[in-house]
């Protein structure tokens, strides 16, 4: 996680230096991204949303997030419009420790759930838990660790699931 924060800080510094930069410099920065890093691609898109490489980074991020058998963006196609909840997902993936937790709208929650429906934790009973006590009562093989950690951290706050 610390590496991600350092990367985001570095790309922000580079962005300041490259603001209004020639497309060649933006291309070089894009080429330095880890092609398997959703966070790096989303951070790059956040900095250069209107550049061809920013849109390419967004497309790459969505391809990395989509299940292998159900691509959100087909090979070689451009994104006709920004996918739903892009800003919310960027805020979730690239959230810095000192930033407030983002509250997602119903539409954004739906988009995140659709995007994540193929993940292996979705078949666990613990994935649908809404309270920490529910998670603790489950057999170990049915616990969704991520959900349990979120519930433990957020407590019984009514807005916990939105957060």
């Amino acid at each position: 996680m610390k590496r991600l924060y350092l990367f985001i800080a570095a790309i922000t510094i580079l962005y300041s230096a490259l603001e209004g930069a020639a497309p060649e410099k933006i291309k070089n920065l894009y080429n330095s991204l880890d092609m398997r890093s959703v966070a790096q691609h989303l951070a790059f898109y956040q900095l250069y949303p209107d550049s061809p490489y920013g849109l390419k980074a967004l497309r790459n991020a969505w391809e990395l997030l989509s299940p292998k058998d159900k691509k959100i963006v087909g090979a070689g196609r451009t994104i006709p419009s920004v996918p739903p909840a892009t800003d919310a997902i960027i805020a979730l993936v690239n959230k810095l420790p000192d930033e407030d937790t983002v509250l997602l709208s119903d539409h954004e929650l739906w988009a995140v759930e659709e995007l994540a429906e193929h993940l292996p934790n979705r078949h666990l009973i613990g994935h649908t838990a809404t309270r920490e006590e529910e998670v603790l009562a489950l057999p170990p093989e049915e616990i969704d660790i991520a959900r349990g950690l979120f519930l433990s951290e957020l407590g019984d706050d009514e807005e916990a699931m939105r957060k």
Side-chain angles (χ1 to χ4, degrees):
M1 205 59 154
K2 186 176 181 181
R3 271 181 56 194
L4 175 61
Y5 297 136
L6 291 174
F7 173 79
I8 292 171
I11 202 168
T12 303
I13 291 167
L14 281 172
Y15 173 72
S16 298
L18 293 175
E19 197 166 15
E24 189 65 26
K25 290 182 179 180
I26 294 172
K27 176 184 175 185
N28 291 338
L29 182 57
Y30 170 81
N31 287 331
S32 72
L33 298 177
D34 176 350
M35 297 315 281
R36 297 165 298 176
S37 173
V38 172
Q40 287 184 18
H41 281 89
L42 291 176
F44 188 89
Y45 168 74
Q46 194 173 16
L47 294 173
Y48 301 104
D50 299 322
S51 79
Y53 287 98
L55 294 173
K56 190 173 181 180
L58 179 62
R59 186 180 71 234
N60 290 342
W62 282 101
E63 286 177 356
L64 289 167
L65 287 169
S66 67
K68 301 300 175 223
D69 63 336
K70 180 181 157 187
K71 289 292 183 190
I72 291 172
V73 179
R77 290 183 34 216
T78 57
I79 299 173
S81 63
V82 175
T86 298
D87 290 337
I89 291 170
I90 290 171
L92 290 171
V93 172
N94 290 338
K95 181 183 174 303
L96 296 173
D98 60 338
E99 291 179 336
D100 290 334
T101 302
V102 177
L103 289 178
L104 302 179
S105 69
D106 288 339
H107 178 71
E108 291 167 332
L109 284 170
W110 172 84
V112 169
E113 283 298 321
E114 284 290 307
L115 191 60
E117 74 181 358
H118 70 285
L119 297 175
N121 69 324
R122 296 312 197 245
H123 75 276
L124 298 173
I125 294 172
H127 173 68
T128 60
T130 57
R131 292 185 353 259
E132 185 179 7
E133 296 77 27
E134 289 177 54
V135 174
L136 295 172
L138 292 170
E141 65 274 7
E142 290 297 335
I143 293 176
D144 179 345
I145 298 292
R147 174 67 64 116
L149 289 171
F150 284 129
L151 292 172
S152 178
E153 181 180 327
L154 297 172
D156 292 331
D157 180 5
E158 286 187 24
E159 294 294 316
M161 296 311 291
R162 282 198 190 287
K163 289 179 182 177

